[in-house]
């Protein structure tokens, strides 16, 4: 009798763990689809400012090049909203990225996502997204 109870408990526990796994996997996929289906947005552009935090983006003007990065930290997704000494610093766990989005210090281990962008013809706005 005790063996049956233990087996039943283990089956229920395994089913619970599987359900949690499926839930988390589904959430990851939905998040990925949400970020990969971004639409185009237009924001004012200031070419004289090295780093601008706009909406969910980081616009970097460095050495004549404009790069737009996702402000979502590649570690656990906190919003990066700080630049110190030429580095982008995550406020949550201290990951650091250079101005091209390349990881300099963990715990994050992936670079920031580069977002397609285009400066409008009059140079006053930037279109971000695809
Ligand atoms: S979420 Fe950015 S370092 Fe953890």
């Amino acid at each position: 009798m005790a063996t049956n109870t233990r087996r039943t408990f283990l089956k229920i526990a395994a089913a619970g763990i599987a359900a949690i796994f499926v839930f988390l996997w589904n959430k990851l996929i939905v998040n990925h689809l949400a970020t990969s289906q971004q639409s185009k947005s237009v924001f004012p552009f200031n070419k004289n400012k090295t780093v601008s935090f706009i909406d969910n983006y980081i616009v970097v003007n460095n050495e004549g090049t404009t790069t737009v990065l996702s402000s979502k930290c590649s570690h656990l997704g906190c919003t990066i909203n700080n630049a110190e000494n030429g580095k982008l610093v995550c406020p949550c766990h201290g990951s650091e990225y250079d101005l091209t989005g390349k990881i300099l210090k963990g715990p994050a281990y992936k670079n920031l996502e580069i977002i397609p962008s285009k400066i409008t013809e009059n140079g006053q706005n930037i279109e971000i997204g695809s």
Side-chain angles (χ1 to χ4, degrees):
M1 192 70 166
T3 307
N4 272 346
T5 305
R6 186 182 303 160
R7 280 191 184 148
T8 302
F9 171 76
L10 290 174
K11 284 180 184 176
I12 291 171
I17 290 169
I20 290 169
F21 178 78
V22 168
F23 173 77
L24 292 174
W25 182 258
N26 189 33
K27 215 162 167 50
L28 276 174
I29 296 298
V30 168
N31 273 350
H32 175 73
L33 289 176
T35 53
S36 62
Q37 293 176 345
Q38 296 166 340
S39 59
K40 197 179 289 185
S41 303
V42 179
F43 301 96
F45 176 66
N46 182 352
K47 68 177 180 190
N48 298 318
K49 199 166 179 189
T50 305
V51 179
S52 304
F53 298 94
I54 303 171
D55 202 28
N56 295 322
Y57 307 107
I58 305 169
V59 178
V60 179
N61 294 305
N62 193 24
E63 299 174 0
T65 304
T66 300
T67 307
V68 176
L69 305 165
S70 168
S71 64
K72 187 175 176 181
C73 180
S74 67
H75 179 225
L76 295 178
C78 285
T79 299
I80 298 168
N81 56 6
N82 187 25
E84 295 174 4
N85 303 321
K87 297 179 209 167
L88 304 168
V89 182
C90 179
C92 291
H93 310 106
S95 288
E96 294 179 355
Y97 304 85
D98 70 11
L99 294 182
T100 67
K102 184 178 170 195
I103 185 75
L104 297 173
K105 178 183 156 216
Y109 62 89
K110 288 172 57 181
N111 298 335
L112 293 177
E113 182 183 1
I114 296 174
I115 309 294
S117 65
K118 185 176 132 194
I119 297 167
T120 57
E121 282 183 29
N122 64 11
Q124 296 187 349
N125 295 304
I126 185 166
E127 292 178 3
I128 300 175
S130 51

